[in-house]
Amino acid sequence: MPSNPSSKPDGLRRRHLLGLGALSAWPLSAGVWAQSLPAGTSALDGGRLVVVFLRGACDGLSALVPYADRDYYALRPNIAIAAPDGGTQTALRLDNTFALHPALGPLLPLWQQGVFGFVPAAGLPAPNRSHFDAQYQMEIAQPGKTSSAPGWLNQVASLRAGPAAALGVGEANPAILGGPAAVKLIPRGQAAARTGVLANDRVRQALLDLYAGDDNISQAFRQGAGSRLQSAQELSAEKAAADVRRNTMTAAMPMADRQLDRDGTPASAQAQTAQMLAASNGAPDPVGLQLDAQHLGTLMRNDRGLRLGFLSAGGWDTHANQGAATGQLANNLGNLARGIVQLRQDFSGPGDVIVVMSEFGRTSAENGTRGTDHGFGNALWLIGNRVNGGRWHGQWTGLARGNLNEGRDLPAHHDYRAVLAQVLRSTFAMGDTQLASVLPGAGWDRRLDGLMAKA
């Protein structure tokens, strides 16, 4: 045993709706590293945390390949990633147990630098194969709960009073950022640099007059309007500067290097296609993740009060023709890798951490259409200087049928919230009481001690 409902609740969907429409099971163990914020330190001082949510259930067994396990190749005769042999179509060796999908090659230097690590078998405390329920419960850090509740990143943001401490890019109203604390939200892609109707002085003034009251809705709108204008102006200025730099390089750049991967999703049954699209839950596909990551970095670099960032990418529900070293999943992983490398450029401070998570894993065996179905446990990735990287952490029991959940899925040996507790304590020096508030009902998992280095 190596150790190293179908939609969001109505109240959550309505949260921020007016402003956004106009603008576009264990208690925490007492005494385990128990600590409060250091003297003279304000809440959320220290590092910064960026969460990347892969909506649709990314196949962790293809991203981080258990190549030393013979059962892996028996379970996946058509879609397994070939064991490392130095070729371009084989996995990239990490250690004696795991290897990296070749499309994730840009992340290999981070592993070698010791700043990229992962927990190979984490997830919800109990299986939940509904994309929408599992995503929502992960975003509020309360498994089993279906009624409206604040997102756990919003709960972290509430530790600091005053201006927004959290920024979300790409989604209009992610549950993870929903709640009473002020947050900044900007759209995906090039739309983030556009001011929309607010650029018109007369329209903007009319809207501000309409929302001139002291009620909560009016205050939220005025704050959002100012935030949208400022963000768009900052990103427009950044884009102009980047265009100048890019124009000096483009002529000498090979055409292949100017292109992003395409989705590559093949034709399938109508119902399956609808489900796979719905599984993204409003998140964009990974093709634009690098640009969204650049926008997140620009805005959080310009406003040091922003300590929390959120990005998401859909397109991971690979029921059919998933592919192996190339194909649908490989294209998505390639774009994900570029997005993470972009994030690492801006979030490489001593306490900065990037977390990559997905609602559940996929079946250990491929299905009859050379894809994978909804599973349970999955890999949770961490990138940061304080991560004890270049190694994986926690429990791994392999893919023998007797070690699988229900004989089909990778088990979740570790509650994902226990992984987050390690990150939050390391990044923001959160004590037991604060962790219990942000991650209600979670427990401290001693098996993960050593995942993060002490500050």
Side-chain angles (χ1 to χ4, degrees):
M1 185 181 297
S3 180
N4 195 26
S6 62
S7 62
K8 299 176 183 176
D10 290 343
L12 185 61
R13 289 201 313 269
R14 291 193 296 267
R15 190 168 289 133
H16 310 309
L17 184 60
L18 287 176
L20 287 172
L23 297 175
S24 52
W26 313 306
L28 281 167
S29 305
V32 183
W33 287 11
Q35 61 187 65
S36 58
L37 290 170
T41 304
S42 301
L44 299 192
D45 280 350
R48 296 172 295 172
L49 172 63
V50 175
V51 175
V52 181
F53 204 114
L54 307 182
R55 299 194 186 277
C58 177
D59 181 20
L61 294 176
S62 285
L64 295 157
V65 182
Y67 74 94
D69 191 327
R70 290 180 297 177
D71 290 301
Y72 171 72
Y73 294 98
L75 290 165
R76 298 183 167 205
N78 297 293
I79 67 169
I81 313 303
D85 69 0
T88 59
Q89 300 298 306
T90 63
L92 305 170
R93 185 183 182 278
L94 298 178
D95 62 13
N96 291 333
T97 305
F98 289 100
L100 201 61
H101 191 291
L104 293 174
L107 302 185
L108 186 59
L110 300 181
W111 177 271
Q112 295 166 339
Q113 293 162 20
V115 297
F116 169 32
F118 62 95
V119 178
L124 291 162
N128 185 328
R129 295 190 177 91
S130 162
H131 290 294
F132 312 103
D133 289 347
Q135 287 177 28
Y136 179 65
Q137 290 165 21
M138 269 197 167
E139 290 179 83
I140 64 172
Q142 297 185 59
K145 187 177 178 64
T146 57
S147 58
S148 182
W152 68 264
L153 268 184
N154 190 280
Q155 292 281 78
V156 177
S158 69
L159 296 176
R160 168 175 283 175
L167 170 67
V169 179
E171 287 190 52
N173 190 25
I176 198 169
L177 289 175
V183 299
K184 294 179 69 172
L185 296 169
I186 65 170
R188 66 173 301 205
Q190 299 294 349
R194 303 185 188 118
T195 55
V197 297
L198 294 174
N200 184 295
D201 292 340
R202 293 179 63 181
V203 173
R204 182 173 68 254
Q205 189 57 52
L207 288 170
L208 291 175
D209 290 344
L210 180 63
Y211 291 98
D214 292 328
D215 58 282
N216 291 337
I217 293 177
S218 295
Q219 292 178 20
F221 177 82
R222 292 197 301 272
Q223 179 184 10
S227 173
R228 176 66 185 273
L229 277 173
Q230 179 182 353
S231 298
Q233 290 164 356
E234 290 177 14
L235 294 176
S236 293
E238 177 73 13
K239 181 179 183 299
D243 286 344
V244 172
R245 295 192 298 268
R246 190 180 302 112
N247 289 338
T248 65
M249 300 170 60
T250 299
M253 187 184 300
M255 180 60 70
D257 291 338
R258 305 183 203 175
Q259 299 173 343
L260 290 175
D261 290 342
R262 295 181 179 275
D263 187 349
T265 303
S268 60
Q270 184 176 1
Q272 187 179 80
T273 299
Q275 183 194 47
M276 291 167 71
L277 289 173
S280 296
N281 212 2
D285 62 42
V287 171
L289 189 64
Q290 184 174 7
L291 180 58
D292 289 344
Q294 180 181 330
H295 289 165
L296 184 83
T298 296
L299 295 175
M300 292 184 70
R301 186 172 62 247
N302 291 348
D303 182 355
R304 299 299 295 182
L306 292 169
R307 314 304 295 170
L308 305 163
F310 177 73
L311 291 167
S312 63
W316 304 98
D317 196 23
T318 49
H319 284 286
N321 299 313
Q322 176 173 307
T326 60
Q328 176 189 176
L329 180 60
N331 291 339
N332 282 348
L333 290 174
N335 285 306
L336 173 62
R338 283 186 281 275
I340 292 175
V341 169
Q342 178 67 49
L343 286 174
R344 175 65 183 170
Q345 292 179 17
D346 283 304
F347 299 94
S348 56
D352 294 347
V353 178
I354 302 163
V355 173
V356 182
M357 58 194 298
S358 196
E359 67 263 32
F360 44 72
R362 307 197 71 81
T363 47
S364 299
E366 66 182 63
N367 60 27
T369 55
R370 300 193 176 188
T372 50
D373 297 318
H374 300 176
F376 183 26
N378 204 355
L380 198 155
W381 314 1
L382 304 172
I383 298 103
N385 291 349
R386 206 168 284 169
V387 175
N388 279 325
R391 54 173 293 192
W392 51 275
H393 297 262
Q395 188 174 2
W396 171 259
T397 52
L399 300 177
R401 183 177 176 82
N403 294 334
L404 298 179
N405 171 66
E406 300 178 354
R408 51 168 272 166
D409 308 321
L410 187 68
H413 290 306
H414 303 277
D415 188 330
Y416 76 99
R417 296 172 300 172
V419 182
L420 296 178
Q422 296 270 352
V423 173
L424 292 173
R425 177 154 289 174
S426 173
T427 304
F428 300 124
M430 290 174 61
D432 288 350
T433 300
Q434 293 169 317
L435 288 176
S437 174
V438 172
L439 307 170
W444 189 266
D445 190 339
R446 293 176 180 268
R447 296 172 298 171
L448 296 173
D449 287 353
L451 174 62
M452 307 294 294
K454 295 183 180 180

